[in-house]
Amino acid sequence: MTINQIVRNTVDRLKAEGKVWTPDVYTETFCAEAKKAGFSVEDCSGIDRYVSLLDKKTAEEIKQYRVRTTAELIRFLISKLSRLNPSEASILVELLSSLAKKMAQSIDALHNPDASALAKKTIAILETQGGATQIDLLKQAWSNFLTIYDDTFLMRLATFGPVDTANLRKTIEGLNLQEGGAQTVEIDHAKTVRLLVSSLVPSIAPTMDTATIQLSQKLRDNPAYIATDECEKELKTAISMRIALDKQSVEEMVRALDTLLEKLSAQLIELIERSENSTTEIREVKRDLESLESNKPSDFKTAHKRLYAIASTLEEKVEVLSKDLKIHNDKVTQMGKKIATLEAELSQATQASREDFLTKLYNKRAIEEYLTIKEAEYERHGRTFSVAMLDLDHFKKVNDTYGHEAGDAVLLAFAKILKEEARTSDIVGRYGGEEFLAILGDTDLTGAKVFCEKVRAHVEQAHFMFQGERISVSVSIGAAERKDYPSLKALMKGADERLYSAKRKGRNRIEPA
C-alpha cells in the first residue's frame, strides 16, 4: 500500500466519522491507518523521537509521568524549566504561548509555500531548544507573515466555481474545469467590452471627457477589468458624464434654435409689415410668428411642427409679396454685384493675409518676413537665432485612414501645442501642409533642442481625438543655429536636411540629437 492510498483512507474515515478536520485529529487518524496498513511513518512515532534527544534522567521522568503526546511533552518541559529557573522559564513560557497563538492563526492559510517554509523553520528551532531571542524573532516572522499574507489570488478560481476561502477543499471540489470554460468567459468579456465602449460615446455631444477615454482604453487593454468593483464605480461616473455632456449639447442646440426662431420671426414680421399688400392670410402668419416668439417650444419635435406649419402657410400666400419683391429687385441686383466685388476684394485680402486660415498661426509669407528681420538683426548686431522645422509623421496616413476632417483636427491640435510651448518672443507658423516652422530669437542650438524636446514630448503624450477615436501622432524636428551657417538660405537648408535626417532615423525625434 502506498502513502497516497493511506491518505485517501484517512480522508474517507474522517468523512465517515464526521470529525472536525483539525491537525491533531488528522494526524491521529492518519497514524492509525498507517499502523493498520503496516506502514512506518516517522511523524507517527509520537514523542519518542523527541525523548531520544533528551538526557537519560529526563527521559526516565517522562516515562514515569506517562507523557504520551507532544502537547503533554511541551507542558512537562515547561514545568521542568520553571523549577530550574522560574524567571527565565516564565519569559520562555510567555514567548512560547504567543508563538503558539501566531502559529494557530496561520494554520488556516497553510495553502502557501511561504507558510510551509516558516512552519518547518519553527519546528527546527523548537527541536533544537532555541533560546528566547530565536523564539522572539520567530514570533515576529509569523506576525509579518499574517500581516502581508494575501489570499485574493484564490478569487481567480471564481471563473470556474464558488470560492470559499475558509474551506479550500470545498472550493477545489466545487470547481468546474471543463475544457474551454475560461476561454469562453474571456471572449464574452471582450464582446461585452466592445459594446460597452461604443455605448460610452455621447450620442449628441461631439467630444468625450478624459476619464471616459481612459476607462475605454483600460477596458480594451484588459477586458476582464469589467468584472471588478473599481470598473463599476468608473462606469457610473462615465455614464453620468455622458448624460451631462449630451444634456449640455441639447441645451446649446435648443439655444441655437431659439436664436434662429427669434431672427426668423423678426425678419418675416418686418417684411410683412413693410408690404402694402398684406392680406388677411399673411397677417395670420404674422400672428403665428408672434405667438411662436412669446411661447417658445422646449423641444425639437414641437419646434419643427410649428415652423413647418408656418412655412407651409407662408409658401401658399407668398405670391402676395411678389410686387414688393419686384420693386426691390434692382436694389437686390446692385447689392449682389457689390457683394461679388467685396468677395473678390476679401479673397485678395485673405491671400495677402499673414495668418494661416486653418491653424490661425503665421503663414509662410509672414514667416519669411520675420526671417528677413531676424537676419538683418544678426548681420547688424550679431544677435543669433535658431530655427526649428517640424513635420508631423505619417500625416498622409491620418488623412487616408480617418479623412481630411480628422487631419484638420490634428493640425489644429498641434498648432495649439506649438502656441503653448513657445515663448512670447518666439514666432511659430505653418510653413506648408503638415510642416511648421519656429523662429527662436536670441536662442542657441542647445536652447532650441530644449524647446523641440518639449514640443515632441507634448505631442507624444497628447490625446488626439476625432469622433471618439484616438489618433496616434508624433513629430520629427530638425533644428539649426544661424551662426553655424554662412547665410539664411543655408540655415534653412540645414534645418530641412536635419528634419529629413530625423525622418530617416525612425521619426519622433530631434536632429541634431
Side-chain angles (χ1 to χ4, degrees), residues 186-468:
E186 185 176 350
I187 293 174
D188 290 342
H189 277 165
K191 291 180 179 178
T192 304
V193 163
R194 287 196 294 272
L195 292 172
L196 183 60
V197 170
S198 299
S199 68
L200 290 177
V201 179
S203 57
I204 299 176
T207 59
M208 293 173 66
D209 62 289
T210 303
T212 303
I213 294 171
Q214 292 174 348
L215 174 59
S216 299
Q217 190 61 45
K218 194 182 298 183
L219 286 170
R220 290 192 188 98
D221 295 340
N222 180 19
Y225 182 67
I226 194 174
T228 63
D229 294 338
E230 291 80 4
C231 182
E232 181 180 354
K233 295 177 183 177
E234 292 185 50
L235 276 175
K236 289 179 179 178
T237 303
I239 291 170
S240 299
M241 183 58 69
R242 173 196 164 177
I243 294 173
L245 287 173
D246 280 346
K247 183 177 180 182
Q248 181 182 354
S249 294
V250 169
E251 291 175 351
E252 292 174 355
M253 294 171 72
V254 168
R255 283 196 295 271
L257 179 61
D258 184 41
T259 302
L260 177 63
L261 289 175
E262 290 179 358
K263 291 182 178 179
L264 179 62
S265 298
Q267 291 175 0
L268 289 177
I269 290 172
E270 180 183 359
L271 181 60
I272 292 170
E273 288 178 339
R274 289 172 58 187
S275 174
E276 296 178 357
N277 300 313
S278 296
T279 63
T280 303
E281 292 82 357
I282 293 181
R283 289 192 180 94
E284 290 178 358
V285 173
K286 175 184 174 182
R287 283 194 293 272
D288 288 339
L289 288 170
E290 290 172 340
S291 173
L292 185 64
E293 174 65 22
S294 61
N295 185 21
K296 297 171 184 175
S298 59
D299 61 88
F300 296 123
K301 189 174 182 180
T302 303
H304 178 270
K305 286 183 177 180
R306 296 180 66 179
L307 280 173
Y308 183 79
I310 293 172
S312 298
T313 303
L314 187 61
E315 185 179 9
E316 293 175 359
K317 310 303 178 183
V318 76
E319 291 181 0
V320 180
L321 299 176
S322 59
K323 291 183 180 180
D324 278 353
L325 292 177
K326 289 179 181 179
I327 294 173
H328 296 290
N329 184 56
D330 291 339
K331 292 183 178 180
V332 170
T333 302
Q334 292 175 3
M335 290 179 64
K337 292 179 179 178
K338 188 173 182 180
I339 289 172
T341 302
L342 291 173
E343 286 178 344
E345 293 175 356
L346 178 62
S347 177
Q348 293 177 358
T350 302
Q351 186 68 27
S353 172
R354 296 158 57 87
E355 181 180 271
D356 178 64
F357 73 98
L358 176 63
T359 63
K360 305 306 177 185
L361 298 177
Y362 289 118
N363 59 16
K364 184 175 182 180
R365 176 178 177 179
I367 287 289
E368 290 176 345
E369 290 178 1
Y370 280 114
L371 282 171
T372 302
I373 294 172
K374 290 295 182 182
E375 177 67 9
E377 291 176 351
Y378 173 78
E379 291 179 350
R380 177 172 295 183
H381 305 293
R383 293 179 60 181
T384 189
F385 64 97
S386 295
V387 296
M389 196 164 287
L390 310 95
D391 189 273
L392 294 176
D393 298 327
H394 302 299
F395 185 75
K396 184 178 183 300
K397 185 177 179 181
V398 173
N399 282 332
D400 293 343
T401 304
Y402 302 97
H404 288 279
E405 288 186 25
D408 290 347
V410 169
L411 291 174
L412 282 170
F414 178 72
K416 184 178 180 182
I417 291 174
L418 273 182
K419 288 180 181 178
E420 291 177 358
E421 297 298 344
R423 302 169 301 180
T424 306
S425 59
D426 295 334
I427 299 165
V428 293
R430 185 181 180 189
Y431 208 57
E434 66 271 21
E435 193 174 84
F436 295 77
L437 190 76
I439 306 174
L440 311 173
D442 299 319
T443 304
D444 59 13
L445 187 59
T446 301
K449 290 180 183 179
V450 172
F451 165 80
C452 294
E453 178 55 26
K454 286 182 179 180
V455 174
R456 189 204 65 77
H458 195 155
V459 171
E460 187 178 52
Q461 297 170 7
H463 293 283
F464 290 81
M465 302 298 300
F466 182 73
Q467 295 182 352

Side-chain angles (χ1 to χ4, degrees), residues 479-498:
E481 184 181 352
R482 175 62 182 89
K483 70 179 181 62
D484 297 332
Y485 295 86
S487 65
L488 177 61
K489 184 177 180 180
L491 170 69
M492 297 300 292
K493 183 179 179 181
D496 187 66
E497 289 174 349
R498 288 181 172 182

